[in-house]
Amino acid sequence: MVKNMNLQKICNEIHIPAVGVAPWPLPKEARQILFEENPCPFTEPNIENRLQPVSNFIPRSAIVCLFPYYVPHNGPSNLSRYTWSTDYHVVVNKYLQTLVDQLRSLNENESFSIHCDTSPLADRYMAYLAGLGFYGKNKCFINPTWGSYVFIGTILTTMHLEPNRPSQETCLGCNRCIETCLGDCLGESNFTYNTCKSYLTQKKGDLTDEERSIIRKSPLLFGCDQCQDVCPHNQNIPTTPIEEFQHLEPLLDVNEIEHMTNKQFKTAYGDRAFSWRGKTILLRNNKYIKY
Ligand code: B12
């Protein structure tokens, strides 16, 4: 039987900086917390699916890990921080697979499934339940050490682990994120996704004049860091210890991609988180960026 203390030790050894355990099944209040009146089209629309095992076994616990990605950088950038290095889906999955391999070698009859971003699981809520931090008014999940510049990955497992308790700490409530948001999409409770710059840079199709004007407000052609950059919880945070996130390419050469075929673009940038929508969307956004 792996105890939570051993889990911490294994994670230290394989360079996963923060780990906690969330209960499974999720608490009753999950339905209310995950309910949104007007959910973003990239969100799993069916709350029941978010509460299901999403694996071919019945889990008894959820192991939640954080992957910090902050690296100080003052040079030019036209990409959001979360896309400056290798695609986090690739990196998080690799680390979680190493953790699964270690756990499996100690518990060969147990089952495991890995989840990060693309699964119906509500990643931020899982991290909150695992005691790894708290929510900001910008809706981001904040860890007291690493700030909100953390990716979240979860392993559902048949292993019995003692769940951690959610943290009692809360965001400072300074409202800087609400005041600085380029699309005014943050409120006390709701989140108006359709004016969020991050959403607009990932949305397909033509943009309205209002949408273009929101993209114009900052130099990023993919994603948005506005509400996180001003957050006091993100000041003086340490550089990520994760090697894969230390190598930075914050400036995309748009002239170069303009002349690439889709296949060439995939070969050159397929391992970056900004590539999932393809080069056409990046070139569309770039028309509204002032250099
Ligand atoms: C759809 C999506 C988006 C959409 C919509 C975002 C949104 N706010 O809903 C768009 C495209 C806009 C987006 C943008 C970004 N995203 Co995104 N996105 C997702 C995705 C796939 C689903 C999010 C979702 O379910 N939203 C619906 C609502 C109901 O859930 P929620 O976002 O988790 O929000 C919770 C809090 O607001 C919470 N809450 C607020 N107060 C309180 C208080 C209490 C007590 C409790 C319990 C809960 C609570 O309630 C919600 C439910 O738990 C997740 C991956 C996943 N599978 O979860 C990544 C994810 C949320 N995204 C991520 C990232 C990195 C980003 C960006 C920072 C990228 C960027 N730089 O441009 C921005 C941040 C924008 C923002 N301010 O939220 C990370 C967030 C990491 C973190 N530290 O928070 C995630 C978790 C991916 C990952 N695995 O790392 N994203």
Side-chain angles (χ1 to χ4, degrees):
M1 167 87 181
V2 171
K3 296 254 167 49
N4 290 34
M5 232 171 64
N6 296 344
L7 186 63
Q8 294 281 355
K9 190 167 161 269
I10 297 172
C11 285
N12 273 344
E13 283 164 6
I14 61 173
H15 308 294
I16 294 180
V19 61
V21 174
W24 195 276
L26 296 176
K28 282 201 190 89
E29 85 240 15
R31 270 185 193 79
Q32 280 83 55
I33 289 170
L34 298 178
F35 175 77
E36 284 187 298
E37 214 133 274
N38 182 25
C40 169
F42 304 155
T43 302
E44 167 57 50
N46 183 342
I47 293 190
E48 293 312 313
N49 287 346
R50 309 201 88 172
L51 310 176
Q52 297 302 317
V54 285
S55 42
N56 54 6
F57 57 85
I58 297 179
R60 293 194 195 96
S61 331
I63 300 169
V64 188
C65 300
L66 299 185
F67 298 86
Y69 61 92
Y70 178 77
V71 176
H73 169 79
N74 293 318
S77 169
N78 57 4
L79 297 169
S80 167
R81 279 184 182 282
Y82 85 112
T83 70
W84 284 359
S85 33
T86 309
D87 188 340
Y88 68 98
H89 300 92
V90 176
V91 177
V92 169
N93 276 285
K94 188 181 97 179
Y95 278 77
L96 292 184
Q97 189 56 55
T98 308
L99 178 54
V100 166
D101 293 344
Q102 299 264 343
L103 294 172
R104 196 166 270 142
S105 68
L106 301 169
N107 311 265
E108 50 187 43
N109 296 325
E110 305 283 10
S111 300
F112 304 89
S113 64
I114 291 175
H115 307 270
C116 174
D117 189 49
T118 51
S119 98
L121 283 187
D123 297 349
R124 288 167 166 165
Y125 184 51
M126 299 304 291
Y128 166 78
L129 290 173
L132 293 168
F134 49 92
Y135 289 100
K137 286 195 170 182
N138 57 6
K139 315 295 171 203
C140 290
F141 178 78
I142 301 171
N143 173 268
T145 304
W146 305 103
S148 66
Y149 295 121
V150 290
F151 301 118
I152 302 163
T154 298
I155 299 170
L156 291 180
T157 175
T158 48
M159 283 170 65
H160 262 304
L161 293 162
E162 187 62 35
N164 292 97
R165 290 203 177 160
S167 163
Q168 294 304 303
E169 205 175 331
T170 58
C171 120
L172 288 169
C174 69
N175 287 345
R176 272 180 229 170
C177 55
I178 296 179
E179 286 155 13
T180 197
C181 175
L182 304 177
D184 282 331
C185 49
L186 301 170
E188 280 308 321
S189 57
N190 59 323
F191 172 74
T192 324
Y193 77 84
N194 46 356
T195 54
C196 168
K197 172 158 174 179
S198 178
Y199 169 71
L200 295 175
T201 63
Q202 301 180 58
K203 179 191 166 176
K204 274 191 189 164
D206 287 338
L207 299 175
T208 63
D209 286 347
E210 194 208 347
E211 291 173 335
R212 291 172 188 177
S213 75
I214 293 170
I215 293 192
R216 259 191 209 104
K217 289 184 184 173
S218 80
L220 304 189
L221 63 86
F222 193 86
C224 182
D225 290 329
Q226 209 79 12
C227 65
Q228 296 191 91
D229 280 347
V230 298
C231 176
H233 299 285
N234 282 340
Q235 310 311 312
N236 305 315
I237 51 171
T239 296
T240 176
I242 296 180
E243 254 179 43
E244 291 85 341
F245 295 147
Q246 289 170 358
H247 173 78
L248 305 185
E249 287 183 44
L251 195 63
L252 177 67
D253 182 347
V254 191
N255 293 327
E256 182 206 3
I257 67 166
E258 198 157 9
H259 303 290
M260 285 178 166
T261 61
N262 285 335
K263 205 171 161 203
Q264 285 167 331
F265 174 75
K266 269 279 161 230
T267 309
Y269 294 110
D271 65 347
R272 301 286 294 276
F274 62 74
S275 73
W276 77 286
R277 276 301 201 198
K279 68 174 198 122
T280 316
I281 297 294
L282 297 172
L283 292 171
R284 176 202 67 186
N285 298 341
N286 189 54
K287 286 193 284 188
Y288 312 116
I289 302 299
K290 288 184 226 120
Y291 288 93

